[in-house]
Amino acid sequence: MLAKSSTELVRQQNSALVLSALRRYGRMAHTEISDATGLASATISAITAELERARIIEKSEQQAATGRGRPRVLFSQRRGCGYLITVIISSDSIQYSLVDYAGTLLDRFTEPRGEGSTATFIASISAALERAVSRSRIDPGSVLLVSVSSKGLAHPSEPVLIWSPVFGSQPVDFTKALHEGWSARVILNNETLLVASALIEREARKPAGGEPVLAALSLGHSIGLGIGRRGSAGTPEILAPNFGHMLHIPNGGLCRCGAKGCVEAYAGFYAILRTAFEVPMDTIPAKFVPLAEIDKIATRARQGNRMAQLAFRQAGVALGNGLSRLLSLHGHMPVFITGPGTRHQDLLQSGIEEGLAQTQVVRLGGMPELTIVPDEPSLVFEGHLNLAFSIVDQDIILSRPHLQAAGE
Amino acid sequence: MLAKSSTELVRQQNSALVLSALRRYGRMAHTEISDATGLASATISAITAELERARIIEKSEQQAATGRGRPRVLFSQRRGCGYLITVIISSDSIQYSLVDYAGTLLDRFTEPRGEGSTATFIASISAALERAVSRSRIDPGSVLLVSVSSKGLAHPSEPVLIWSPVFGSQPVDFTKALHEGWSARVILNNETLLVASALIEREARKPAGGEPVLAALSLGHSIGLGIGRRGSAGTPEILAPNFGHMLHIPNGGLCRCGAKGCVEAYAGFYAILRTAFEVPMDTIPAKFVPLAEIDKIATRARQGNRMAQLAFRQAGVALGNGLSRLLSLHGHMPVFITGPGTRHQDLLQSGIEEGLAQTQVVRLGGMPELTIVPDEPSLVFEGHLNLAFSIVDQDIILSRPHLQAAGE
DNA sequence: AAGCTTTTTCTCGACAGTCGAGAAATTAGA
DNA sequence: TCTAATTTCTCGACTGTCGAGAAAAAGCTT
């Protein structure tokens, strides 16, 4: 059934629009907001007045002197309105970042990721979150959202890790990472989903409009994939399919997940290692392969070593076949490749292209555009901010059913 | 960027909501519409009055005597408001149906599908459309939409067939099927997409809410797949990925599409025939296999013939592997199997399950629910009506920017 | 047959929101 | 000091939804 609409919803939608414009362009004047959103000047007055009363945005101090005329008043998010903590979990460490409502980074620290059960893992995160707020003397109650990312499979709605490289199918529930006094919501997303989110936003900022749909492929110890799409309603739609553990070859090489023949079991770092050293394909793969090890194999491959070359070629074909299946099931789209594996793109490229070439979608639609974007960490952080702030802004607007005209 | 909203859009949205309720439940009273939509009674008065003035809906003659109280006035679509023609293209024939705005079937006829170029094909459709309106003495200008379905790959926005079993990658443009005097829009959708649309609507009508996401798999000479999803906004989102020509086995059996190793090259009727008769896998497959031929092979398989059994098993595994990839890339969802191939589900079942079982998604989420829905033609027609009327209703509302209070 | 009850439809005024036009504010330059 | 330019603010018109209650129209009761 469709949803009903009302005049109040109109205001909500348009308030969200104003906040999102402020996110995208940062610090805007009345008229700029009007131009960017398409709303009438009078409407901007009403909305900004309301948001200002609610102490969500504020008139910024420094106003650019823009020649003659009445000086423009710039609006921006009120920093103290709330805070956001991003938690980026990687295989060997965890990075914490504290960000204020205006999007500026206040604090950042990285901790090694300890061994142990999921309970001790959650406890260490919990402690780090406490540390983050106390170091910056912030009231835990003013943390609006904790945004967590990890490799692996996240529950579609709850912040629960359903499968991860480290804990396997043992679920990890991040709601438990918050002590009392924390009213924040917790969200969990796959790391490559955030990359896709960042890329789709970058594309959206391009003047020409940019690609409205794309895939992000992350190459590393594990293989991640995110799909981003700019929906008709304007809200980007982002998902992280289980690409790395999609079936590549029936009854193929043993994968870390326990299944056989996953893409990752051919294209992940451990798979490259396994093939290069001619270890049997049913061997339980290494928990963690140092990047230097892969670099060594790559060097050998570039020097002409056959098994090393085969290892990368096999990885490339697995990725190419997988991408061809992606295009078959999600339609044609450009692919952005990121992650540490991109350093060896020269060794993977031909395999990827070969793996893609055979299928009907590629024969009809042509080879998809492949773009290398090496700096994955910035993409991940950018994705965190995009997604987190869109949720925070939405929450703030919804939680304030009537920002009444409460006089001074 | 998000979209801006306005009070006028609110009315549009709510008018659409009223029309869609009328579609779903047919012939409703004022209070019923109010209950179904959640809109206030006064709003229903305003909207129905407007739609009635615009001659889109009308108060129906027969009003059910419902005991005491003021008798209810039932609203329904005004039949003469416009017409819809559905064109269902199958491998050997084309079925035309003429439907009025209230959804009642006025005329239906089927024509054999001739040989020849795309031009003569379009010409024959064009002639049949003329015949449909003239037979029922309808002004071609009052045909609002021609909804065409076919197997194969449709262009995402234009009514152009990009690839089809019969014409291959020779594009077929259905806009050319309309003579002058026709102002109708033409839409083209993959046949199994319509099946998915019908199923998602059936699920939506279930009181408990039903599955919000599902896949429809059509087994026949070719393999079709549609995915239906009830989006958060209420509008169902339906897509038809290129499942049949997704890569199953690299460098595998030759497919009708010219590529090698497609799912269809293992699970389509011609593939079953090819394997059962031990024809080499690189043989150009038969253009058309009579259903009776497949039934014969099935009988032999049930009698114990090894090659016949293998043929069905191989088809099952191809489908199972393909579905496992579908679940990997689109998330877990129930699968509804339809089409003529469902008669031999007993021979396919174990292969499908085997093909599904290996992957991580299935190991984590369990075997997806497989439901057999034999009657494909009704599903296709139902899907046509759902999709076509939602477009027609939308068009009608948008084309009437101000249904002004024009007095009598 | 008149009056009562019940149920539905219709109408009115209050309220929320957007928009265009023009007034008010404020600065740079003549 | 005055004027032009530019931005912000304010007002009234318009569109929309909603709740309450009036009006309508039937069956039931006496």
Side-chain angles (χ1 to χ4, degrees):
Chain A
M1 206 62 186
L2 296 171
K4 80 169 183 178
S5 191
S6 65
T7 47
E8 284 85 354
L9 280 179
V10 169
R11 171 53 66 89
Q12 277 183 15
Q13 169 115 17
N14 287 339
S15 297
L17 180 59
V18 167
L19 283 184
S20 76
L22 231 40
R23 285 277 165 226
R24 178 166 295 175
Y25 304 107
R27 203 186 285 292
M28 296 173 88
H30 191 109
T31 41
E32 291 173 326
I33 300 178
S34 173
D35 286 350
T37 59
L39 293 167
S41 164
T43 308
I44 302 298
S45 281
I47 291 176
T48 52
E50 195 177 76
L51 292 175
E52 210 183 346
R53 265 200 309 279
R55 297 175 52 75
I56 295 167
I57 65 173
E58 61 188 1
K59 288 178 177 144
S60 88
E61 300 307 303
Q62 47 152 52
Q63 40 228 40
T66 52
R68 69 165 72 183
R70 180 171 171 169
R72 25 179 58 182
V73 179
L74 299 179
F75 289 99
S76 62
Q77 293 89 352
R78 204 173 61 81
R79 298 183 175 288
C81 179
Y83 300 90
L84 163 69
I85 301 179
T86 67
V87 182
I88 300 178
I89 302 174
S90 55
S91 46
D92 55 346
S93 63
I94 307 180
Q95 184 196 65
Y96 300 87
S97 307
L98 178 67
V99 181
D100 70 17
Y101 185 64
T104 50
L105 181 65
L106 301 181
D107 188 18
R108 169 172 285 173
F109 56 93
T110 305
E111 297 194 341
R113 174 177 176 160
E115 305 280 311
S117 69
T118 61
T120 59
F121 177 67
I122 288 290
S124 74
I125 290 178
S126 187
L129 291 176
E130 289 290 347
R131 192 143 5 105
V133 295
S134 66
R135 249 166 63 147
S136 298
R137 292 195 184 75
I138 283 172
D139 171 25
S142 67
V143 176
L144 301 170
L145 188 68
V146 175
S147 179
V148 185
S149 71
S150 166
K151 299 188 193 306
L153 204 62
H155 188 280
S157 54
E158 303 297 306
V160 176
L161 201 50
I162 292 177
W163 187 90
S164 61
V166 173
F167 295 110
S169 57
Q170 214 178 329
V172 185
D173 184 352
F174 287 94
T175 43
K176 293 175 185 157
L178 298 190
H179 286 179
E180 278 138 54
W182 289 66
S183 52
R185 272 174 66 180
V186 184
I187 59 169
L188 167 69
N189 285 296
N190 173 282
E191 195 175 281
T192 317
L193 178 140
L194 296 179
V195 173
S197 164
L199 288 170
I200 205 80
E201 172 66 17
R202 282 188 186 178
E203 289 289 329
R205 286 177 192 224
K206 286 189 183 168
E211 284 291 340
V213 53
L214 57 84
L217 178 64
S218 167
L219 306 181
H221 198 64
S222 61
I223 304 296
L225 187 106
I227 298 176
R229 202 186 309 271
R230 265 210 308 287
S232 49
T235 24
E237 188 189 333
I238 290 132
L239 49 152
N242 199 359
F243 183 83
H245 300 282
M246 176 173 69
L247 181 66
H248 172 47
I249 294 177
N251 287 309
L254 183 61
C255 178
R256 283 193 295 175
C257 76
K260 285 182 187 173
C262 300
V263 170
E264 193 178 292
Y266 289 84
F269 278 175
Y270 69 84
I272 293 176
L273 187 85
R274 189 164 63 183
T275 304
F277 288 111
E278 303 188 50
V279 178
M281 291 296 273
D282 58 349
T283 309
I284 300 283
K287 267 271 175 195
F288 181 72
V289 181
L291 191 50
E293 200 68 29
I294 296 298
D295 290 344
K296 260 191 267 176
I297 299 173
T299 308
R300 290 224 311 277
R302 293 194 187 97
Q303 288 166 351
N305 179 294
R306 295 297 299 273
M307 279 320 282
Q309 286 176 342
L310 176 66
F312 279 102
R313 175 166 199 78
Q314 200 176 54
V317 171
L319 293 172
N321 281 343
L323 286 176
S324 88
R325 288 169 180 139
L326 173 75
L327 301 188
S328 291
L329 293 184
H330 276 279
H332 214 280
M333 62 181 89
V335 179
F336 292 77
I337 308 180
T338 186
T342 51
R343 316 179 181 207
H344 310 306
Q345 185 63 22
D346 56 327
L347 298 167
L348 294 169
Q349 185 78 23
S350 68
I352 293 179
E353 285 177 7
E354 181 191 318
L356 270 165
Q358 318 179 341
T359 335
Q360 194 204 28
V361 255
V362 175
R363 291 160 57 107
L364 287 176
M367 190 63 76
E369 205 175 321
L370 302 179
T371 309
I372 309 297
V373 192
D375 185 11
E376 190 176 28
S378 334
L379 285 170
V380 173
F381 187 63
E382 220 174 290
H384 264 291
L385 296 190
N386 288 344
L387 231 61
F389 279 127
S390 75
I391 291 175
V392 165
D393 287 346
Q394 195 66 26
D395 277 4
I396 281 184
I397 287 172
L398 291 180
S399 70
R400 219 166 298 266
H402 265 227
L403 311 160
Q404 273 304 35
E408 290 294 291
Chain B
M1 208 61 187
L2 296 171
K4 79 168 185 179
S5 190
S6 65
T7 47
E8 283 85 355
L9 280 179
V10 169
R11 170 56 63 91
Q12 277 183 13
Q13 168 112 20
N14 287 340
S15 297
L17 180 59
V18 168
L19 283 184
S20 77
L22 230 42
R23 285 282 165 221
R24 179 166 295 173
Y25 306 107
R27 206 187 284 291
M28 295 171 90
H30 192 109
T31 40
E32 291 172 326
I33 300 178
S34 173
D35 286 351
T37 58
L39 293 167
S41 165
T43 308
I44 302 299
S45 282
I47 290 176
T48 52
E50 196 178 76
L51 292 175
E52 210 182 345
R53 264 200 310 277
R55 297 174 54 73
I56 295 166
I57 64 173
E58 62 188 1
K59 290 180 176 140
S60 86
E61 299 308 305
Q62 49 154 53
Q63 40 226 43
T66 51
R68 68 164 74 182
R70 178 169 172 171
R72 25 178 57 182
V73 178
L74 298 180
F75 289 100
S76 62
Q77 294 88 352
R78 203 173 60 83
R79 300 185 173 286
C81 178
Y83 300 90
L84 163 70
I85 301 180
T86 67
V87 181
I88 300 178
I89 302 173
S90 53
S91 47
D92 55 346
S93 63
I94 307 180
Q95 184 196 65
Y96 299 86
S97 306
L98 178 67
V99 181
D100 70 17
Y101 185 66
T104 50
L105 183 64
L106 301 181
D107 188 18
R108 167 172 285 173
F109 57 92
T110 304
E111 296 194 340
R113 173 178 177 159
E115 306 279 313
S117 68
T118 60
T120 59
F121 177 67
I122 288 291
S124 74
I125 290 177
S126 187
L129 290 176
E130 289 291 348
R131 190 139 12 98
V133 295
S134 67
R135 246 164 67 146
S136 298
R137 293 196 184 72
I138 283 173
D139 170 25
S142 66
V143 176
L144 302 172
L145 188 68
V146 175
S147 178
V148 185
S149 70
S150 166
K151 299 191 195 302
L153 204 60
H155 188 280
S157 55
E158 304 297 305
V160 176
L161 202 49
I162 292 176
W163 187 90
S164 61
V166 172
F167 295 110
S169 56
Q170 214 178 328
V172 186
D173 184 352
F174 287 94
T175 44
K176 294 174 184 157
L178 297 191
H179 287 179
E180 276 139 56
W182 289 66
S183 52
R185 271 174 68 179
V186 184
I187 59 170
L188 167 69
N189 284 296
N190 173 283
E191 194 175 282
T192 318
L193 179 140
L194 297 178
V195 173
S197 164
L199 289 170
I200 206 80
E201 173 66 17
R202 283 188 186 178
E203 290 289 328
R205 287 179 192 222
K206 286 187 182 170
E211 284 293 341
V213 52
L214 56 82
L217 178 65
S218 168
L219 306 181
H221 198 64
S222 60
I223 304 296
L225 187 104
I227 299 177
R229 201 187 308 274
R230 266 209 308 288
S232 49
T235 24
E237 189 189 332
I238 290 133
L239 49 151
N242 200 358
F243 183 83
H245 299 282
M246 177 173 67
L247 180 66
H248 171 45
I249 292 178
N251 287 308
L254 184 62
C255 178
R256 283 193 294 175
C257 75
K260 285 181 186 173
C262 299
V263 170
E264 194 178 291
Y266 290 84
F269 279 175
Y270 68 84
I272 293 176
L273 187 85
R274 188 164 61 181
T275 304
F277 287 111
E278 303 188 49
V279 178
M281 291 296 273
D282 58 350
T283 308
I284 298 285
K287 268 270 178 197
F288 180 73
V289 181
L291 191 49
E293 200 66 31
I294 296 297
D295 290 345
K296 261 192 265 176
I297 299 173
T299 309
R300 291 223 309 279
R302 292 193 188 97
Q303 287 166 350
N305 178 294
R306 295 297 298 271
M307 278 322 280
Q309 286 176 341
L310 175 66
F312 279 101
R313 175 164 200 79
Q314 200 175 54
V317 171
L319 293 171
N321 281 343
L323 287 177
S324 88
R325 289 171 179 138
L326 173 75
L327 301 188
S328 291
L329 293 184
H330 277 278
H332 214 281
M333 64 180 88
V335 178
F336 293 78
I337 308 179
T338 186
T342 52
R343 317 178 181 209
H344 310 307
Q345 184 62 20
D346 55 327
L347 298 167
L348 293 169
Q349 185 78 23
S350 69
I352 293 179
E353 287 177 5
E354 182 191 317
L356 271 165
Q358 317 179 344
T359 334
Q360 194 205 25
V361 254
V362 174
R363 290 159 59 107
L364 287 176
M367 191 63 79
E369 205 175 319
L370 302 178
T371 311
I372 309 297
V373 192
D375 185 11
E376 191 176 27
S378 339
L379 285 170
V380 173
F381 186 63
E382 221 174 289
H384 264 290
L385 296 191
N386 289 344
L387 232 61
F389 279 127
S390 73
I391 290 175
V392 165
D393 287 346
Q394 196 64 29
D395 277 3
I396 282 184
I397 287 172
L398 291 180
S399 70
R400 218 165 300 263
H402 267 226
L403 311 159
Q404 273 303 34
E408 292 293 290

